[in-house]
Amino acid sequence: MGLAEARAETGEESRQASALLAVEGVTIRFGGVTALEDVSFAVAPGAICGLIGPNGAGKTTLFNCISRLYEPHAGGIVFDGRPLARVSRHAMAALGIARTFQNVALFATLTTRDNVRVGAHALARGGFLANALALPFTAREGRRIAERADELIEEFGLGAVADRPVGELPFGVRKRVELARALAIGPKLLLLDEPAAGLNHEEVDSLADEIRAIRDRRGVSVLLVEHHMNLVMRVSDQVVALEFGRVIADGTPEAVRCDPEVVRAYLGSAA
């Protein structure tokens, strides 16, 4: 190994070690299809990282690996110094990872307020028995959850629809409700799965401002999968591009936008 390669490898190891999220050589196969192949990148604390790539590039598969819905066949993922392979799926929220979905996953018949409270309940200590016995700490937790939900409703401008069933709300408003619910656990990492899907131009502009504001207010890291390139390039500090399950670029938005491999993947020709 030459000196330049050694320095590059040392720099990469240093970045992985200091990262909040480190994806390390992740490979996953479905039958004979390799969905991800030796994928590695790191997201720093407080950074916004956009994950881009053509359809079928492996973006959602990677999200599902981070969420512990899929188990990689090789490699691993480390979050805040802890290998996720050692964390049970139901403990992900308590660990500090929250996720939204491309298709808004809310309880349509529940109110906005109750949907946000559901998010906060992920951190509640009381179980079925404690609540059935009406132990004193469950009442305190209930008040804390209610207060947390009210704060988020105010923060996201949802007061006017707080007591309306979310199934009656416009799609863009439901997206804000889902964001508020995800943040109810006070995560260190927020996974946004195509947050701009179904939004109009004005709503996309507002979303871009909101993602930046969430990071600035809370110091939370954000990893987003998104096809809306203008949104990704506007809000991201770092962009990772995938094609056919492999990382083809990783860097600043400006560098990735001009990368010949990225241009070829999207436009079908060399830069």
Side-chain angles (χ1 to χ4, degrees):
M1 180 185 294
L3 180 59
E5 289 84 355
R7 285 175 175 171
E9 184 170 316
T10 300
E12 178 62 22
E13 289 175 354
S14 176
R15 186 169 71 141
Q16 296 279 91
S18 63
L20 178 69
L21 177 72
V23 178
E24 302 173 340
V26 166
T27 297
I28 186 167
R29 303 179 184 87
F30 299 105
V33 177
T34 300
L36 295 172
E37 183 178 1
D38 195 26
V39 171
S40 297
F41 66 93
V43 180
I48 300 175
C49 178
L51 190 62
I52 64 170
N55 287 332
K59 303 181 299 296
T60 297
T61 299
L62 180 57
F63 253 40
N64 287 339
C65 288
I66 297 171
S67 301
R68 299 280 288 116
L69 298 177
Y70 296 160
E71 295 286 350
H73 292 103
I77 301 170
V78 177
F79 175 73
D80 202 16
R82 185 172 181 179
L84 290 185
R86 302 176 187 173
V87 180
S88 59
R89 291 172 183 171
H90 72 269
M92 296 295 288
L95 191 64
I97 298 177
R99 179 180 178 177
T100 66
F101 294 84
Q102 179 182 354
N103 298 315
V104 177
L106 296 169
F107 297 100
T109 59
L110 295 183
T111 65
T112 294
R113 191 186 312 278
D114 286 339
N115 268 280
V116 178
R117 286 180 178 178
V118 166
H121 269 290
L123 297 182
R125 293 181 297 114
F128 173 79
L129 184 58
N131 283 281
L133 296 175
L135 298 179
F137 79 87
T138 62
R140 291 195 299 272
E141 281 201 334
R143 290 192 296 270
R144 179 175 61 86
I145 287 170
E147 290 169 0
R148 177 70 172 154
D150 289 344
E151 290 169 0
L152 286 161
I153 286 168
E154 180 178 356
E155 178 179 342
F156 283 88
L158 296 167
V161 297
D163 297 310
R164 287 181 57 186
V166 295
E168 299 176 358
L169 304 179
F171 187 74
V173 177
R174 280 184 277 149
K175 285 273 191 177
R176 295 211 317 272
V177 175
E178 190 178 35
L179 268 176
R181 186 180 67 176
L183 290 169
I185 66 168
K188 298 176 183 177
L189 175 66
L190 179 62
L191 306 176
L192 301 179
D193 191 354
E194 297 199 30
L199 302 182
N200 60 38
H201 290 299
E202 183 178 343
E203 289 170 333
V204 170
D205 286 341
S206 296
L207 175 65
D209 293 338
E210 192 62 65
I211 292 172
R212 278 283 188 182
I214 287 170
R215 189 276 301 277
D216 294 343
R217 288 194 302 260
R218 301 170 178 276
V220 61
S221 296
V222 179
L223 179 62
L224 70 149
V225 165
E226 185 53 69
H227 286 288
H228 199 294
M229 293 296 291
N230 287 339
L231 172 66
V232 173
M233 296 302 175
R234 175 178 168 184
V235 305
S236 299
D237 304 303
Q238 170 191 2
V239 176
V240 176
L242 294 176
E243 184 189 27
F244 299 122
R246 298 180 300 107
V247 174
I248 59 172
D250 177 4
T252 65
E254 294 78 14
V256 171
R257 190 199 308 269
C258 300
D259 188 282
E261 284 293 294
V262 175
V263 174
R264 179 193 53 75
Y266 276 92
L267 301 180
S269 62

